[in-house]
Amino acid sequence: MAKYEQEVKNDIFGFGDLNTAFAQYFSGNSYLTGLVPPTDDVDVSVASVNFAPGVRNNWHKHHDGYQIILVTSGEGWAQIDGQPAQSLKPGDVVVFHDGVKHWHGAKKDSWFTHLAISKGTTEWLEPVTDAEFADLDK
């Protein structure tokens, strides 16, 4: 059994709905709860994203903005292109600046949840390969 399933499924922001809108950019099942949609007077979105074990999103960039992730439960990874992956646990915060290629997701044996505060548009890129992902635990 994977670690932190109960913590993720009972996260303070709840367990989201199956993320069908962005499923093509994830390696498996993720779940999304929209918390703050962008409006005319708020130019960021805030969402809680739950990842099943081993699920990660594709490499991507944010244009004309940024993304901040705040880990609330489970264990995961985040990586900026050209840098080592960063192991994540509750309380960790990662900032991805405008135009910086990156990805984030759950460790292979753990559920994972983060809040995503995003501004601008997202450019989705290639998937993180299974080989790249497997190398993280070595």
Side-chain angles (χ1 to χ4, degrees), residues 4-64:
Y4 303 110
E5 182 174 1
Q6 291 306 311
E7 290 86 346
V8 166
K9 289 187 174 178
N10 294 291
D11 187 80
I12 190 169
F13 295 102
F15 190 71
D17 295 325
L18 188 61
N19 185 4
T20 56
F22 297 96
Q24 65 185 336
Y25 306 118
F26 286 74
S27 66
N29 287 341
S30 67
Y31 305 85
L32 184 65
T33 303
L35 300 172
V36 179
T39 62
D40 289 341
D41 59 341
V42 176
D43 64 352
V44 299
S45 66
V46 181
S48 179
V49 186
N50 313 110
F51 296 79
V55 173
R56 66 261 180 204
N57 52 30
N58 288 8
W59 289 98
H60 59 286
K61 297 177 182 180
H62 300 275
H63 297 289
D64 300 318

Side-chain angles (χ1 to χ4, degrees), residues 78-86 136:
Q79 185 173 19
I80 292 173
D81 191 31
Q83 297 182 14
Q86 177 182 350
L136 297 177

Side-chain angles (χ1 to χ4, degrees), residues 64-75:
D64 300 318
Y66 52 82
Q67 186 174 52
I68 301 167
I69 61 171
L70 307 150
V71 180
T72 59
S73 56
E75 293 180 356

